[in-house]
Amino acid sequence: MKVSGSLGDMSRLANWRKNHVSDRQLVLVLAFAIGLLASLAAYILHFIIKLIEELVTSGFDVATINWLYLIYPIVGIWLTSLFVKYVVRDNISHGITRVLYAISTKQSRLKAHNTWSSIVASAITIGFGGSVGAEAPIVLTGSAIGSNLGRIFNLDNRTLMLLVGCGATAAVSGIFKAPIAGLVFTLEVLMVDLTMASLLPILIASVTATCFSYFFTGGSSMFHFQMDNIWGLDRVPPTILLGIACGFVSLYFMRLMSWCENGYGKLSSKPYLKLLVGGLVLSPLIFLFPSLYGEGYDSLRLFIEGKTEADWMQIMSGSMFAEKSNFLLLYVGLVVMTKVFATSATNGAGGCGGTFAPSLFIGGFGGFFFARFWNMQQLGVYIPEKNFTLYGMAAVMSAVMHAPLTGIFLIAELTGGYQLFIPLIIVTISSYLTINIFEHHSIYAVRLAKQGKLLTHHTDKSILTLMSMDKIIDHDFTSVGPDMEMGKLIHAISSSRNDYIPVLDESRKLLGEIDINNLRHIIFRTELYHRFHVNQLMSPPAAMLGVNDPMEDVMKTFERTGAQYLPVVNIDSQLVGYISRARLYSMYRQFVADFSAE
């Protein structure tokens, strides 16, 4: 009785909503709720990370080497892997890539546990020293909140995609208190098209998350930046050079990250070996370079807020380089080079975190290294180290994510340094153009692009990506063997509803086809029924499609062959079914209509 009563209440609520609240009004309400919940999730995650960090590092002496750096990261990764294996029981790594995959191939449907599992897993990983960021897990969390709220109210896939975008926007806006950066992040990285129908919900989610983040954490920016040196035209050359250098640093980051991920992927069936290998890489690096511990924003703060070399020297506290000013530049350079190993080892060994913060970290350290070296060697006009730290952050993040606008607005909003717009534009464009020569996709999208599952701003390609081959394959067909006599073939034709008869061997491999239209001149000549066999009458298909072929290739194959039907085979050349041109184009036209509707 209670169950039936509860279902009845939900049904009545759904009916009331349909009668009194339009879908558009509902989306605006949900956008507000998503903004609130995403900002709350970001606050909870950073609260837990800080709590764990304080518990495990409270006894550290900043003036001496701390041997526990060799232990804590491995413990954190091990606890995270146990949580994922026995509690979550699902893969939750690569948060932003997972959101892109959901948009591209799963109709924006994210699992319910994604609303909380990434928070717990990444908090454990980062709190114990994992050298990754919390942004990607929060983006996954915010997107999952949007997806699941939309599914509760039975909203269509297009609206679900919008709510997923609202969740991602709210996550970035809430973490950094940067509403504009959150908006452009969704447009550039997740590639959610901005229309008049989607602009208002995304803005509501962004502003709501930002406001509640101010409520939870106060009104100050992440970094306290003061503009001491006004930017001038004489600093254009070093700004461009920094952008180009950051483009190559980003290329190094992406290529090496991909190489490391492939290496750890080969150990996926041996979790303890993977933990051992990752631990042997991560722990010594954090021991040698404590700046690699956790997200690294505290280290960046020393460069952005510090004014003298004495302030910058604090970056080496707790390491063997401590209080050795001659080694500052060497230390910073080594941190830039080893950060990618630390990040890949953290995730590869079983931890949970993203590459958003590492890209900012590498960029900041790289920008400081560039400016410090430039000034020490007196290569030209003086360039402020803290300004170039910010430029480097924007440049590397823009290149790695292929998101120059996000880099510009994020750094401006992080610091309140809106006077830096011109140099930020110059450095991000230089960096983006450099990386684009070598890599045409962001670090998040490159995995999906290799599989042909990436949704882009190109409408035609987006529609073909969203189309599913499973929904257009016709599995109902009549097949014959190659040794069958023509008489029995005529009987098979009479029971078939198609103009084609596939010829299969005993293992169901496709050998050829019988085109009924080609038999019209002999089909009624009964004296030939025992003279001819199927293998004498069949012809090869115009082309064969694979079950994993991208829909763009399927469409091109139909255009190239002019066929009305094409067979679909698996990797063993066994026939799965047929795709008809009429059905393919009918579904394409329907997607075009849905995609274009406001």
Side-chain angles (χ1 to χ4, degrees):
M1 291 294 293
K2 291 183 178 180
V3 175
S4 61
S6 177
L7 292 175
D9 291 340
M10 293 181 64
S11 177
R12 285 193 293 272
L13 178 61
N15 290 332
W16 181 89
R17 199 280 298 174
K18 290 181 179 179
N19 294 329
H20 296 84
V21 181
S22 67
D23 286 347
R24 184 173 179 81
Q25 292 172 328
L26 177 63
V27 167
L28 298 181
V29 174
L30 293 180
F32 175 84
I34 292 167
L36 167 60
L37 295 175
S39 63
L40 180 61
Y43 172 74
I44 292 173
L45 174 56
H46 282 99
F47 174 80
I48 299 175
I49 290 174
K50 286 294 182 184
L51 180 63
I52 295 175
E53 283 183 354
E54 291 174 0
L55 288 175
V56 300
T57 64
S58 58
F60 281 12
D61 186 351
V62 297
T64 60
I65 296 174
N66 298 292
W67 294 96
L68 288 176
Y69 278 133
L70 294 171
I71 300 174
Y72 284 151
I74 299 178
V75 173
I77 294 172
W78 178 64
L79 292 175
T80 301
S81 61
L82 291 179
F83 169 76
V84 173
K85 181 178 180 180
Y86 294 106
V87 179
V88 181
R89 299 179 180 180
D90 190 19
N91 184 9
I92 58 175
S93 62
H94 301 307
I96 296 177
T97 300
R98 195 163 294 277
V99 175
L100 275 172
Y101 181 80
I103 291 175
S104 299
T105 62
K106 297 294 184 182
Q107 290 76 49
S108 303
R109 297 177 183 271
L110 293 164
K111 295 180 181 179
H113 73 73
N114 289 133
T115 59
W116 58 271
S117 56
S118 294
I119 295 177
V120 178
S122 59
I124 297 172
T125 299
I126 299 171
F128 278 90
S131 194
V132 288
E135 292 78 14
I138 285 297
V139 169
L140 177 58
T141 299
S143 299
I145 290 171
S147 175
N148 284 275
L149 282 177
R151 290 165 64 185
I152 289 174
F153 289 94
N154 296 318
L155 297 176
D156 58 68
N157 291 338
R158 183 175 176 82
T159 306
L160 283 182
M161 186 184 298
L162 172 58
L163 294 180
V164 167
C166 289
T169 299
V172 175
S173 301
I175 291 172
F176 296 114
K177 299 177 183 175
I180 301 177
L183 172 65
V184 295
F185 169 83
T186 300
L187 303 182
E188 288 187 305
V189 178
L190 297 187
M191 292 171 284
V192 174
D193 287 314
L194 185 64
T195 63
M196 291 306 297
S198 62
L199 176 60
L200 188 56
I202 291 177
L203 282 176
I204 289 175
S206 177
V207 173
T208 301
T210 304
C211 291
F212 275 102
S213 291
Y214 277 115
F215 174 78
F216 292 135
T217 62
S220 60
S221 301
M222 178 178 287
F223 301 114
H224 299 289
F225 173 78
Q226 291 183 343
M227 188 73 171
D228 298 331
N229 293 273
I230 299 176
W231 184 84
L233 291 177
D234 54 349
R235 290 178 181 156
V236 170
T239 305
I240 294 176
L241 287 176
L242 174 64
I244 295 172
C246 286
F248 284 105
V249 170
S250 303
L251 180 65
Y252 165 80
F253 180 80
M254 292 181 66
R255 293 283 175 86
L256 193 57
M257 180 70 72
S258 178
W259 181 79
C260 290
E261 285 180 354
N262 292 335
Y264 287 110
K266 295 177 182 178
L267 303 176
S268 57
S269 60
K270 302 175 181 178
Y272 284 100
L273 179 59
K274 195 167 62 169
L275 175 63
L276 176 63
V277 173
L280 290 175
V281 173
L282 178 62
S283 293
L285 287 177
I286 293 179
F287 174 76
L288 293 172
F289 310 107
S291 301
L292 298 176
Y293 189 101
E295 294 178 285
Y297 289 129
D298 289 337
S299 297
L300 287 174
R301 187 171 288 109
L302 294 175
F303 290 148
I304 296 171
E305 300 178 6
K307 298 180 180 179
T308 65
E309 186 170 325
D311 296 329
W312 304 329
M313 287 284 293
Q314 298 178 46
I315 202 75
M316 298 187 291
S317 298
S319 73
M320 63 179 62
F321 299 91
E323 299 182 1
K324 299 177 181 178
S325 59
N326 293 336
F327 290 97
L328 176 61
L329 207 59
L330 174 64
Y331 179 90
V332 173
L334 290 174
V335 168
V336 171
M337 300 299 292
T338 56
K339 176 66 174 180
V340 61
F341 290 100
T343 299
S344 59
T346 302
N347 284 329
C352 178
T355 55
F356 199 120
S359 67
L360 290 173
F361 180 92
I362 289 177
F365 271 64
F368 177 87
F369 180 92
F370 180 93
R372 188 64 182 155
F373 180 81
W374 179 282
N375 292 332
M376 289 177 64
Q377 301 300 320
Q378 297 182 353
L379 298 178
V381 62
Y382 170 76
I383 53 177
E385 284 85 355
K386 65 178 181 180
N387 290 23
F388 272 67
T389 298
L390 294 172
Y391 301 162
M393 293 170 66
V396 172
M397 196 206 74
S398 299
V400 168
M401 297 186 185
H402 279 49
L405 288 177
T406 304
I408 294 168
F409 284 104
L410 178 63
I411 300 305
E413 292 181 293
L414 269 180
T415 61
Y418 290 95
Q419 307 97 318
L420 300 177
F421 260 126
I422 298 299
L424 284 174
I425 292 172
I426 293 173
V427 77
T428 52
I429 290 176
S430 302
S431 179
Y432 175 74
L433 291 178
T434 302
I435 189 73
N436 205 45
I437 297 173
F438 306 97
E439 291 286 351
H440 300 298
H441 297 288
S442 71
I443 193 171
Y444 304 123
V446 68
R447 303 182 188 96
L448 299 180
K450 291 178 180 178
Q451 303 171 30
K453 298 178 179 179
L454 179 63
L455 192 69
T456 71
H457 285 297
H458 192 293
T459 302
D460 183 64
K461 291 184 178 180
S462 297
I463 292 170
L464 292 175
T465 300
L466 289 169
M467 292 173 63
S468 172
M469 183 177 285
D470 292 337
K471 295 183 179 179
I472 57 176
I473 295 178
D474 184 1
H475 300 278
D476 184 14
F477 57 85
T478 301
S479 63
V480 297
D483 300 324
M484 180 182 290
E485 291 184 343
M486 180 178 168
K488 293 183 179 179
L489 172 63
I490 299 303
H491 179 72
I493 291 175
S494 65
S495 62
S496 174
R497 62 180 181 84
N498 300 314
D499 294 335
Y500 54 87
I501 303 288
V503 182
L504 309 179
D505 63 11
E506 294 181 354
S507 61
R508 296 190 61 78
K509 290 185 177 180
L510 181 64
L511 303 177
E513 294 176 333
I514 298 294
D515 187 341
I516 298 176
N517 295 318
N518 294 335
L519 301 181
R520 294 188 186 279
H521 63 291
I522 61 171
I523 197 169
F524 297 110
R525 297 183 60 180
T526 57
E527 71 275 11
L528 301 178
Y529 282 10
H530 297 288
R531 181 180 301 179
F532 290 103
H533 293 79
V534 168
N535 55 12
Q536 297 173 286
L537 302 172
M538 69 181 187
S539 58
M544 288 193 292
L545 304 172
V547 289
N548 297 318
D549 286 354
M551 290 305 300
E552 185 176 1
D553 291 348
V554 173
M555 189 75 78
K556 289 180 179 178
T557 303
F558 270 100
E559 293 176 355
R560 174 173 55 83
T561 61
Q564 296 302 313
Y565 299 90
L566 285 176
V568 181
V569 297
N570 59 22
I571 57 175
D572 297 320
S573 298
Q574 295 174 324
L575 183 64
V576 175
Y578 275 80
I579 293 179
S580 74
R581 174 190 287 265
R583 189 171 182 179
L584 173 65
Y585 279 79
S586 175
M587 177 175 286
Y588 178 84
R589 286 191 294 271
Q590 183 60 49
F591 267 92
V592 170
D594 294 340
F595 206 84
S596 302
E598 285 291 330

